[in-house]
Amino acid sequence: MQLQLATWQEVEGYLKSSTAIMIPIGSTEQHGPNGFIGTDALCPEVLAKAVGEETGALVAPTLSIGMAQHHLGFSGSITLRPTTLIAVVQDVVNSLAQHGFDRFYFLNGHGGNIATLSAAFSEIYAESSLGKADSNRPPLVCQLRNWWDGGGIKRLSAELFGDKEGSHATCSEISLTYYAYPDHVKQAEMTPGKAPVGPIYDSSDYRRRFPDGRIGSDPTHASVEAGERIFKTAVEEIAGDWRRFAANGASDA
Amino acid sequence: MQLQLATWQEVEGYLKSSTAIMIPIGSTEQHGPNGFIGTDALCPEVLAKAVGEETGALVAPTLSIGMAQHHLGFSGSITLRPTTLIAVVQDVVNSLAQHGFDRFYFLNGHGGNIATLSAAFSEIYAESSLGKADSNRPPLVCQLRNWWDGGGIKRLSAELFGDKEGSHATCSEISLTYYAYPDHVKQAEMTPGKAPVGPIYDSSDYRRRFPDGRIGSDPTHASVEAGERIFKTAVEEIAGDWRRFAANGASDA
Amino acid sequence: MQLQLATWQEVEGYLKSSTAIMIPIGSTEQHGPNGFIGTDALCPEVLAKAVGEETGALVAPTLSIGMAQHHLGFSGSITLRPTTLIAVVQDVVNSLAQHGFDRFYFLNGHGGNIATLSAAFSEIYAESSLGKADSNRPPLVCQLRNWWDGGGIKRLSAELFGDKEGSHATCSEISLTYYAYPDHVKQAEMTPGKAPVGPIYDSSDYRRRFPDGRIGSDPTHASVEAGERIFKTAVEEIAGDWRRFAANGASDA
Amino acid sequence: MQLQLATWQEVEGYLKSSTAIMIPIGSTEQHGPNGFIGTDALCPEVLAKAVGEETGALVAPTLSIGMAQHHLGFSGSITLRPTTLIAVVQDVVNSLAQHGFDRFYFLNGHGGNIATLSAAFSEIYAESSLGKADSNRPPLVCQLRNWWDGGGIKRLSAELFGDKEGSHATCSEISLTYYAYPDHVKQAEMTPGKAPVGPIYDSSDYRRRFPDGRIGSDPTHASVEAGERIFKTAVEEIAGDWRRFAANGASDA
Amino acid sequence: MQLQLATWQEVEGYLKSSTAIMIPIGSTEQHGPNGFIGTDALCPEVLAKAVGEETGALVAPTLSIGMAQHHLGFSGSITLRPTTLIAVVQDVVNSLAQHGFDRFYFLNGHGGNIATLSAAFSEIYAESSLGKADSNRPPLVCQLRNWWDGGGIKRLSAELFGDKEGSHATCSEISLTYYAYPDHVKQAEMTPGKAPVGPIYDSSDYRRRFPDGRIGSDPTHASVEAGERIFKTAVEEIAGDWRRFAANGASDA
Amino acid sequence: MQLQLATWQEVEGYLKSSTAIMIPIGSTEQHGPNGFIGTDALCPEVLAKAVGEETGALVAPTLSIGMAQHHLGFSGSITLRPTTLIAVVQDVVNSLAQHGFDRFYFLNGHGGNIATLSAAFSEIYAESSLGKADSNRPPLVCQLRNWWDGGGIKRLSAELFGDKEGSHATCSEISLTYYAYPDHVKQAEMTPGKAPVGPIYDSSDYRRRFPDGRIGSDPTHASVEAGERIFKTAVEEIAGDWRRFAANGASDA
């Protein structure tokens, strides 16, 4: 069930059988010459929607803007400062906790969000640990799960793309968005074929060392067909992980 | 052009002819017994997408969560504190200003966002006025435009719904979302037919005075057909307003 | 009763019959060639004092500095950033709520404060809605009322000044301060007679488009005599509105 | 010259001969059974006004609400959190620095403000020291001066009140406000005659140890006549100190 | 060279040959029945000191308090909220950048710091990426290196402790502190021998699932002798990594 | 007992007989040509350790970085902004209050910390006064004590150094660190012998007026021998003061 398309009475009904909610979170940032700027938000969004249909999970609206300061050298990229993103996650979780939700499954599409999301969870827990949480707030469990975390996805991506996969503007994520938005598939030549690798600091450094935005990938190999296989595998893996989590078990993330 | 589906090179290209961008902003909050929780985000989202197709406007991803503290008494509602929303808008605008954007057209779907958005604009301008803005930042123009601001929409809504329109969970906004998501049209009985009216304070007060969430409306009159007329009128009006704004003129908002 | 001139025991006595308090709030900013920089603070201050005498309302000290970033291009103007003003209002309200006050009537003298004040009220309510308020805090009602909101004042100003009134450095507000401080009446020539109009962005833009600070007004028509009529009408209207509010009714603002 | 009663052109004129400004700062808090809640704001306000008349100093509007958390156990007291007060002082100074002011003379009426004001000055200086200040901002000098700092005032208070003076709700400050507002002189019996002394922690502790709010004083000895002598001595001392400060010399505070 | 024992002229001299600095960062939190509360701060402190002696690295004072909200159920544990720790790291880096330092090597002793430190680096970089950094600030490189990151340490710990090592209150870290403070070696019985494992949420949950504070370890195997071997291996590995980093190369962290 | 070298069970034991804790706090900043950058942190650290041994006081790890913006003109100096330091002190106190500590004795080594520490205490108390503290938090007592506050130390310093003592990079503090770290005694010539005096504003002003960093001192007179006498006197005085404070009495600070 998508929260955006539900009524409050339907959510009240959902809460009778589950207090877990799935929250897609991504980023709005360059993904090289043939990747969408929305790649990291669209991937968890389409997967969460499908997992929601398969498992009955309640799916919150996508948090589309994440921590992307290193991409600001490329037109169209948008970042929240880490402290802003922490405040957003805090408000979202505290709002939902008012209704009785206590298990928050963040389906993440952006590696650059991981540290800040994890810090946000600690900021939220610290409200309890330091005695500042709403006295009615139940104990909360916040879980971060990247959509690519499962073993099946890792194997499939290795099979499909080998060492062309890379770590930013990867073949897998671009394929997945092509499958979701086949009318927007882009053609672009890239030089060198495989992008350079290295550590990440600020945005001017990033632009200098990764001139077209990619890191380690050759996404000319991305395709709608590959995207379809990735979609199916990811939905299956995430659905299983969600079911464990929603049943008060541990995510395998 | 949707930012989410564009590459950074396409955005770079867009900036050669325009430095204006449209940013849909809404809220995730109850809309009574037959309205979607995402109503206020979905309305500007579908309108912005259509206006973007008609005018070539670059459309940012929707800021789906707004200032909705008064709705927290109803399951599924999510709020950002005003200070959090100010930080979000500040980061979004400052990120885009790095690329050369200097005219920001926030297409708003939620009355409860107006004050905070306006405060956010002042917080951003104050960076310039107090000398703290990036010295490369161009002078910025931030415009708030509610999708229902135009004279045509007001006349149409009066014609269609008369005094059933109300001010929260209105017939117009629910019709528009029904037109956009016809498979999710809801049936619900409401008592009284027309909801009460009154001022807004905190969420327990709101729940007490507006027991099913509506204010002043009887949205059983909402329909896909009405939604289609509203959609077409709003797109036309907003497109005209955007064209004036993007040409460095004034919005009529 | 003026809070500043009362003892704490007198306030304790007042609380036995009323939990409402009036808080004048203004701004310190240019008001054109013949207006006082303190105009927006002095107007609600003198009116609140008179209303307090007439109705017995407890009147807090004036918050003299508001949100005036757009005026920083003119010497002497002072602004709080919106987030600072939100914190100030939050602290004032939370302090007074400790004593049992629960109805806060902000008598406002500056249009530029409206959005930020309204955001501040939401920030305060959100403490309750998100469960972070002091558990002893009563439900709070924060009301914003501009001194010029009443129908009588609007009619009088139209009668006295017609289209010379304008929207910043208006004939009415300058007349009111001249009546309060007749020894400081200023003489100044202005070109053009009637100032230009337009939207407001940052302070350099404001200075460029409104070179002497006025918007739409010709305040050479301001006078002590007009000020006296405005004063009497405003006191009467605000006193009535306060009486309704203090009796747990609704302000007509 | 009072900033509130000046035009921006008059301030522009003042800046040709001086870049120093006097800012009265006080507090709104209980002052025992016969002291005004506004005592700490009214004292620097009336003194600053008189010094402004004598020396031509430009006097900003009084910051009437300070750091008074320890007084919140007594009705009518209002506090800003220290971090809020720091933000307020920062914004006031940065606004005025935009116009060319660079010497800020805070005439203080409340011992409880001293630490926070001093921290605020460091926060402002740190903008320069850490390279975050407006690049056009001149080097700034922020001076804190308590109105009772001068040797003459100390001698006079000893002569007038001896060991009845105390440290909160003192005979001197209450006399000064009685001189300024003779129509509001209060009569109150106090037991014990001389209030207890001790350190200050939070507001419940304060209320428990200082049951009527006074510390160490017996303000039944306050009088209009004493207030007049204090007023004259203080004005003379502060005027001298201001003249040194405004001439780029050191305050003797 | 230890910063704490150097003069400013010695630091000025150091900057002629290197702009890199090592900053030990730890935590103050329970480490089970026989581990020091300071374990996570003491480990990087003693290692940094030794590496400083061997390589000439300038070593800042240890940031002894980190992100330890999950340990607050155990007496003596202290945490900074993530947003506080971000501010601290930001101020430390910005201060040192004023002097010309531009390579910051955080030698970390606490897994719970990693996310927040990484978010802090992004917050700092975002000052550059969003154009808010001091215009004189050089491009900065912030590196996080856990003292246990090296392959040699991992092998040694596996050899010494096998599956008794665990992940909190590990045999290795306790041995290292015993080597550094042999007079404080503790004796304690533990049941069960090997502590349970699992995910980390808030502090009450932690206390319930890890009743004596350990996670997965049996630190009765810790010893001064093991500590000595760990110390030597760690110093050697970190010294090598520092030399690469200080020579503008990449850390292997 | 040093917190860093204790187990959580030992702290739990300590709390059975005392709820007071000593927290050394200093600064990392230039101390002239022959003083350590760590002087202000090392002095309270070595004294607290000795007092802890003598009295059994529990001693927290030193907060080594304080408010030192005015020293940023000298290499190696590090500051926290006042608002950052307030947040740090707030988190430290609130963490320890979770365990039952309610008397906090900050042994301070830096005059520049006094105002900000005092503001931090008020910020913490305001959590109680405004009803935002953890409802389980006991009433808290925060005490600031400079190590040089005692009468014995003042007499000894006058005897040893007379008018060479000064107010920054004093003979006493440098002697004390020489006694603690005799291997690091520095030799440096200074011109003039006795440094200038004056008020403190921002860091460029400080550097210009105090070119080698000292204020009013001639620390060539510092020595290990003098340091030993200072150490013994200070330990004795602080131990006595701590004993009074820990027994719920008043510090003489």
Side-chain angles (χ1 to χ4, degrees):
Chain A
M1 182 164 64
Q2 293 182 65
L3 181 62
Q4 297 275 67
L5 298 178
T7 63
W8 68 263
Q9 291 92 341
E10 289 168 343
V11 176
E12 209 165 62
Y14 175 92
L15 278 160
K16 289 177 186 154
S17 58
S18 176
T19 57
I21 187 167
M22 182 177 295
I23 305 167
I25 181 165
S27 184
T28 295
E29 60 182 49
Q30 66 82 17
H31 271 76
N34 72 341
F36 303 156
I37 283 176
T39 300
D40 286 356
L42 298 170
C43 288
E45 183 166 277
V46 298
L47 294 171
K49 194 174 163 185
V51 171
E53 281 165 14
E54 188 174 317
T55 65
L58 182 64
V59 178
T62 305
L63 302 176
S64 297
I65 300 179
M67 212 306 293
Q69 69 81 19
H70 41 308
H71 296 293
L72 283 182
F74 297 90
S75 291
S77 301
I78 303 177
T79 194
L80 299 184
R81 287 166 290 172
T83 46
T84 303
L85 184 51
I86 288 172
V88 167
V89 172
Q90 208 174 5
D91 289 1
V92 169
V93 166
N94 273 317
S95 294
L96 290 166
Q98 289 291 314
H99 310 310
F101 290 99
D102 60 3
R103 296 183 74 77
F104 302 88
Y105 188 91
F106 286 83
L107 187 64
N108 180 42
H110 174 47
N113 284 344
I114 297 173
T116 299
L117 260 181
S118 176
F121 296 169
S122 295
E123 190 89 15
I124 292 165
Y125 296 146
E127 295 178 329
S128 294
S129 302
L130 289 167
K132 307 285 174 136
D134 180 0
S135 53
N136 294 324
R137 196 175 84 171
L140 305 181
V141 172
C142 297
Q143 179 67 46
L144 167 61
R145 217 256 186 201
N146 303 305
W147 67 260
W148 60 81
D149 272 345
I153 279 292
K154 290 209 164 81
R155 280 187 298 274
L156 177 58
S157 141
E159 173 201 327
L160 288 167
F161 308 113
D163 74 346
K164 317 288 194 208
E165 171 70 355
S167 62
H168 182 68
T170 67
C171 300
S172 294
E173 62 189 353
I174 292 180
S175 296
L176 182 52
T177 57
Y178 282 3
Y179 170 66
Y181 295 87
D183 296 346
H184 290 79
V185 170
K186 317 274 180 183
Q187 304 300 335
E189 298 201 351
M190 304 185 204
T191 309
K194 193 151 168 296
V197 298
I200 293 175
Y201 306 113
D202 75 20
S203 60
S204 7
D205 177 81
Y206 188 107
R207 176 91 201 219
R208 189 170 48 75
R209 288 191 296 107
F210 311 109
D212 69 5
R214 297 170 296 144
I215 304 182
S217 67
D218 178 358
T220 55
H221 294 77
S223 70
V224 173
E225 296 69 31
E228 184 172 12
R229 292 183 61 190
I230 290 165
F231 175 79
K232 288 179 177 165
T233 302
V235 169
E236 187 185 337
E237 286 193 330
I238 297 166
D241 195 56
W242 162 265
R243 285 194 181 99
R244 282 186 296 278
F245 176 79
N248 296 326
S251 160
D252 64 6
Chain B
M1 182 165 61
Q2 293 182 64
L3 181 62
Q4 296 274 69
L5 299 177
T7 64
W8 68 264
Q9 292 90 342
E10 289 169 344
V11 177
E12 211 166 63
Y14 175 92
L15 279 160
K16 287 176 188 154
S17 58
S18 176
T19 57
I21 186 167
M22 183 177 296
I23 305 168
I25 181 165
S27 185
T28 295
E29 61 183 48
Q30 66 82 17
H31 271 75
N34 73 342
F36 304 156
I37 284 176
T39 300
D40 287 356
L42 298 171
C43 288
E45 185 167 278
V46 299
L47 293 172
K49 195 174 161 184
V51 172
E53 280 165 16
E54 189 173 315
T55 64
L58 183 64
V59 178
T62 306
L63 302 176
S64 297
I65 301 179
M67 211 305 293
Q69 70 80 19
H70 42 308
H71 296 293
L72 283 182
F74 298 89
S75 290
S77 302
I78 303 176
T79 194
L80 299 185
R81 287 167 290 173
T83 46
T84 303
L85 184 51
I86 288 172
V88 168
V89 173
Q90 207 174 6
D91 289 1
V92 169
V93 166
N94 273 317
S95 293
L96 290 166
Q98 289 290 313
H99 310 309
F101 290 99
D102 59 3
R103 296 182 75 77
F104 303 88
Y105 188 91
F106 286 82
L107 187 65
N108 180 42
H110 175 46
N113 284 344
I114 296 174
T116 300
L117 260 181
S118 176
F121 296 169
S122 294
E123 190 88 14
I124 292 166
Y125 296 146
E127 296 178 329
S128 295
S129 302
L130 288 167
K132 305 288 175 134
D134 181 0
S135 52
N136 294 323
R137 196 174 85 170
L140 305 181
V141 172
C142 297
Q143 179 68 45
L144 167 61
R145 217 256 184 201
N146 303 306
W147 68 258
W148 60 81
D149 272 344
I153 279 291
K154 291 208 164 83
R155 281 187 298 272
L156 176 59
S157 142
E159 171 200 330
L160 288 167
F161 307 114
D163 73 346
K164 318 287 194 206
E165 171 68 356
S167 63
H168 182 68
T170 66
C171 301
S172 294
E173 63 189 352
I174 292 181
S175 295
L176 181 52
T177 58
Y178 281 3
Y179 170 66
Y181 295 87
D183 296 346
H184 290 79
V185 170
K186 317 274 180 183
Q187 304 300 334
E189 299 201 350
M190 305 186 203
T191 310
K194 194 150 169 295
V197 299
I200 294 175
Y201 307 113
D202 76 19
S203 61
S204 7
D205 176 81
Y206 187 108
R207 176 90 200 219
R208 190 170 48 74
R209 290 192 293 108
F210 310 109
D212 69 4
R214 296 172 295 144
I215 303 183
S217 67
D218 178 359
T220 55
H221 293 77
S223 70
V224 172
E225 295 68 32
E228 185 172 9
R229 292 183 61 190
I230 291 164
F231 175 80
K232 286 180 178 164
T233 302
V235 168
E236 188 185 336
E237 286 193 330
I238 299 166
D241 195 56
W242 161 265
R243 284 194 182 100
R244 283 187 293 280
F245 177 78
N248 295 327
S251 161
D252 64 8
Chain C
M1 182 165 65
Q2 293 183 65
L3 181 62
Q4 296 274 69
L5 299 177
T7 65
W8 68 263
Q9 292 91 341
E10 289 168 344
V11 176
E12 209 165 63
Y14 175 92
L15 278 161
K16 287 176 188 155
S17 58
S18 176
T19 57
I21 187 167
M22 185 178 294
I23 305 167
I25 181 165
S27 186
T28 296
E29 61 183 49
Q30 67 82 17
H31 272 76
N34 74 340
F36 303 158
I37 283 176
T39 300
D40 287 355
L42 298 171
C43 288
E45 185 167 278
V46 298
L47 294 171
K49 196 173 163 185
V51 171
E53 282 164 14
E54 188 174 316
T55 65
L58 182 65
V59 179
T62 305
L63 303 176
S64 298
I65 301 179
M67 211 305 295
Q69 69 82 20
H70 42 306
H71 295 294
L72 284 181
F74 297 89
S75 290
S77 301
I78 302 177
T79 194
L80 299 184
R81 287 167 290 173
T83 47
T84 302
L85 184 52
I86 289 172
V88 167
V89 173
Q90 207 174 8
D91 288 2
V92 168
V93 167
N94 273 317
S95 294
L96 291 166
Q98 289 291 313
H99 310 310
F101 291 101
D102 59 2
R103 297 182 74 78
F104 302 88
Y105 188 90
F106 287 83
L107 187 65
N108 181 42
H110 174 46
N113 283 344
I114 296 174
T116 298
L117 259 181
S118 176
F121 296 169
S122 294
E123 191 88 13
I124 292 165
Y125 296 146
E127 295 177 331
S128 295
S129 303
L130 289 167
K132 307 287 174 136
D134 181 359
S135 53
N136 295 324
R137 196 175 85 171
L140 306 181
V141 172
C142 297
Q143 179 67 46
L144 167 61
R145 217 257 185 201
N146 303 307
W147 68 260
W148 60 82
D149 272 345
I153 278 291
K154 290 209 164 82
R155 280 187 298 274
L156 177 58
S157 141
E159 172 200 330
L160 288 166
F161 307 114
D163 73 345
K164 318 285 194 208
E165 170 69 355
S167 62
H168 183 68
T170 67
C171 300
S172 294
E173 63 189 353
I174 292 181
S175 295
L176 181 51
T177 58
Y178 281 3
Y179 170 67
Y181 295 88
D183 295 347
H184 289 79
V185 171
K186 317 274 181 183
Q187 305 299 335
E189 299 200 350
M190 304 185 205
T191 311
K194 192 150 168 295
V197 297
I200 294 175
Y201 306 113
D202 75 20
S203 61
S204 6
D205 176 81
Y206 187 108
R207 176 90 201 219
R208 189 170 48 75
R209 288 191 295 110
F210 311 108
D212 70 4
R214 298 171 295 143
I215 304 182
S217 67
D218 177 0
T220 55
H221 293 76
S223 70
V224 173
E225 296 69 30
E228 185 172 10
R229 293 183 61 191
I230 290 165
F231 175 80
K232 288 179 177 164
T233 302
V235 169
E236 187 185 336
E237 286 193 329
I238 298 167
D241 195 56
W242 162 264
R243 285 194 182 99
R244 282 186 296 279
F245 177 78
N248 296 326
S251 160
D252 64 7
Chain D
M1 182 164 63
Q2 294 182 66
L3 181 61
Q4 297 275 69
L5 299 177
T7 63
W8 68 263
Q9 291 91 341
E10 289 169 343
V11 177
E12 209 166 63
Y14 176 91
L15 278 160
K16 287 178 187 153
S17 59
S18 176
T19 57
I21 186 167
M22 183 177 297
I23 305 168
I25 180 165
S27 186
T28 296
E29 61 183 49
Q30 67 82 18
H31 271 75
N34 73 342
F36 304 156
I37 283 176
T39 300
D40 288 355
L42 298 170
C43 289
E45 185 168 276
V46 298
L47 294 171
K49 195 173 162 184
V51 171
E53 281 166 14
E54 189 174 316
T55 65
L58 181 65
V59 178
T62 306
L63 302 175
S64 297
I65 301 179
M67 212 305 293
Q69 70 81 20
H70 42 307
H71 295 294
L72 283 183
F74 298 89
S75 289
S77 301
I78 303 177
T79 194
L80 299 185
R81 287 166 291 173
T83 46
T84 303
L85 184 51
I86 288 172
V88 168
V89 173
Q90 207 174 5
D91 289 1
V92 169
V93 167
N94 273 317
S95 294
L96 291 166
Q98 289 290 314
H99 310 309
F101 290 99
D102 59 3
R103 296 183 74 79
F104 303 88
Y105 188 90
F106 286 84
L107 187 65
N108 180 41
H110 175 45
N113 284 344
I114 297 173
T116 299
L117 260 181
S118 176
F121 296 169
S122 294
E123 190 88 14
I124 292 165
Y125 296 146
E127 295 178 330
S128 295
S129 302
L130 288 167
K132 307 285 174 135
D134 181 358
S135 52
N136 294 324
R137 197 175 84 170
L140 305 181
V141 173
C142 297
Q143 180 67 45
L144 167 61
R145 216 255 185 201
N146 303 306
W147 68 259
W148 60 82
D149 272 344
I153 278 291
K154 291 209 164 80
R155 281 187 298 273
L156 177 59
S157 141
E159 172 200 329
L160 288 167
F161 308 113
D163 73 347
K164 317 287 195 208
E165 170 69 355
S167 62
H168 182 68
T170 67
C171 301
S172 295
E173 61 189 354
I174 292 180
S175 297
L176 182 50
T177 58
Y178 281 4
Y179 170 66
Y181 296 87
D183 296 346
H184 290 78
V185 170
K186 318 273 180 183
Q187 304 299 335
E189 298 201 350
M190 303 187 206
T191 312
K194 191 151 168 295
V197 298
I200 294 175
Y201 307 114
D202 74 20
S203 60
S204 7
D205 177 81
Y206 187 108
R207 176 91 200 220
R208 190 172 47 74
R209 289 191 296 106
F210 311 109
D212 69 4
R214 297 170 296 143
I215 303 183
S217 68
D218 177 0
T220 55
H221 294 77
S223 70
V224 172
E225 297 68 32
E228 184 172 12
R229 291 184 60 193
I230 290 164
F231 175 79
K232 288 180 178 163
T233 303
V235 168
E236 187 186 336
E237 287 193 329
I238 298 166
D241 195 55
W242 162 265
R243 285 194 182 98
R244 283 187 294 279
F245 176 79
N248 297 326
S251 160
D252 65 8
Chain E
M1 181 164 64
Q2 294 181 67
L3 181 62
Q4 297 274 70
L5 299 176
T7 63
W8 67 263
Q9 292 90 344
E10 289 168 343
V11 177
E12 208 165 64
Y14 176 91
L15 278 161
K16 287 176 188 155
S17 58
S18 176
T19 57
I21 186 166
M22 182 177 297
I23 305 167
I25 180 164
S27 185
T28 295
E29 61 182 48
Q30 67 82 18
H31 272 77
N34 74 342
F36 303 156
I37 283 175
T39 301
D40 287 355
L42 298 170
C43 288
E45 183 166 279
V46 298
L47 293 171
K49 195 174 162 183
V51 172
E53 281 165 14
E54 190 174 315
T55 65
L58 182 64
V59 178
T62 305
L63 302 176
S64 297
I65 301 180
M67 210 306 292
Q69 70 79 20
H70 42 307
H71 295 294
L72 283 183
F74 298 89
S75 291
S77 301
I78 303 177
T79 195
L80 299 184
R81 287 166 291 172
T83 46
T84 303
L85 184 51
I86 288 172
V88 168
V89 173
Q90 206 174 6
D91 288 2
V92 169
V93 166
N94 273 317
S95 294
L96 291 166
Q98 288 290 314
H99 311 309
F101 290 100
D102 59 3
R103 296 182 74 78
F104 303 88
Y105 188 91
F106 286 84
L107 188 65
N108 180 43
H110 175 46
N113 284 344
I114 297 174
T116 299
L117 260 181
S118 176
F121 296 169
S122 294
E123 190 89 14
I124 293 165
Y125 296 146
E127 296 178 329
S128 295
S129 302
L130 288 168
K132 307 285 176 138
D134 181 359
S135 53
N136 294 324
R137 196 174 86 170
L140 306 181
V141 172
C142 297
Q143 179 68 46
L144 167 61
R145 217 258 184 200
N146 303 306
W147 68 259
W148 61 81
D149 272 345
I153 278 292
K154 291 209 164 84
R155 281 187 297 274
L156 178 57
S157 143
E159 172 200 329
L160 288 167
F161 308 113
D163 73 346
K164 317 288 195 208
E165 172 69 356
S167 62
H168 182 69
T170 67
C171 300
S172 294
E173 63 189 351
I174 292 181
S175 296
L176 182 51
T177 58
Y178 281 4
Y179 170 67
Y181 295 88
D183 294 347
H184 290 79
V185 170
K186 317 276 180 182
Q187 303 300 334
E189 298 201 351
M190 304 186 205
T191 310
K194 193 152 168 296
V197 298
I200 294 174
Y201 308 113
D202 74 20
S203 61
S204 6
D205 176 81
Y206 187 108
R207 176 90 200 220
R208 189 171 48 76
R209 289 191 295 108
F210 310 109
D212 70 4
R214 297 171 296 144
I215 303 182
S217 68
D218 177 0
T220 56
H221 293 78
S223 71
V224 173
E225 297 69 30
E228 184 172 11
R229 292 183 62 192
I230 289 164
F231 175 80
K232 288 180 177 163
T233 302
V235 168
E236 189 186 335
E237 286 194 330
I238 298 166
D241 194 56
W242 161 264
R243 285 192 182 101
R244 281 187 295 278
F245 176 79
N248 296 327
S251 160
D252 64 8
Chain F
M1 182 164 63
Q2 294 181 65
L3 181 62
Q4 297 275 68
L5 299 177
T7 65
W8 67 264
Q9 291 91 341
E10 289 168 344
V11 177
E12 208 165 64
Y14 175 91
L15 278 160
K16 287 178 187 152
S17 58
S18 176
T19 57
I21 186 166
M22 182 177 296
I23 305 168
I25 180 165
S27 185
T28 295
E29 62 182 50
Q30 67 81 18
H31 272 76
N34 74 340
F36 304 156
I37 284 175
T39 300
D40 286 355
L42 297 170
C43 288
E45 184 167 276
V46 300
L47 293 170
K49 195 174 163 183
V51 171
E53 281 165 14
E54 190 173 316
T55 66
L58 182 64
V59 178
T62 306
L63 302 176
S64 299
I65 301 179
M67 212 305 293
Q69 69 80 20
H70 42 308
H71 295 294
L72 284 183
F74 297 89
S75 290
S77 300
I78 302 178
T79 195
L80 299 184
R81 286 165 292 172
T83 47
T84 302
L85 185 51
I86 288 172
V88 167
V89 173
Q90 205 174 8
D91 289 1
V92 169
V93 167
N94 273 317
S95 293
L96 291 165
Q98 288 291 314
H99 311 309
F101 289 100
D102 60 2
R103 295 183 74 77
F104 302 88
Y105 188 91
F106 286 83
L107 187 65
N108 180 42
H110 175 47
N113 284 344
I114 296 173
T116 299
L117 259 181
S118 177
F121 296 170
S122 294
E123 189 89 15
I124 292 165
Y125 295 146
E127 295 178 328
S128 294
S129 303
L130 289 168
K132 307 286 175 137
D134 181 359
S135 53
N136 294 323
R137 197 175 84 170
L140 305 182
V141 172
C142 296
Q143 179 68 46
L144 167 61
R145 216 256 185 203
N146 303 307
W147 70 258
W148 61 82
D149 272 346
I153 279 291
K154 292 210 163 81
R155 282 186 296 275
L156 178 58
S157 141
E159 172 200 330
L160 288 167
F161 308 114
D163 72 347
K164 318 286 195 209
E165 172 69 355
S167 62
H168 182 69
T170 67
C171 300
S172 294
E173 62 188 353
I174 292 180
S175 296
L176 181 52
T177 58
Y178 282 3
Y179 170 66
Y181 295 88
D183 295 348
H184 290 80
V185 170
K186 318 276 180 182
Q187 305 299 336
E189 299 201 348
M190 303 185 206
T191 310
K194 193 152 167 296
V197 298
I200 294 175
Y201 307 113
D202 75 20
S203 60
S204 7
D205 176 81
Y206 187 108
R207 177 91 200 218
R208 188 170 49 74
R209 287 190 297 107
F210 310 109
D212 69 4
R214 298 171 294 143
I215 303 183
S217 69
D218 178 359
T220 55
H221 293 77
S223 70
V224 172
E225 297 68 31
E228 184 172 12
R229 293 183 62 192
I230 290 165
F231 174 81
K232 288 180 176 162
T233 303
V235 169
E236 188 185 336
E237 287 193 330
I238 298 166
D241 194 56
W242 162 263
R243 284 194 182 99
R244 282 186 296 279
F245 176 79
N248 297 326
S251 161
D252 64 7

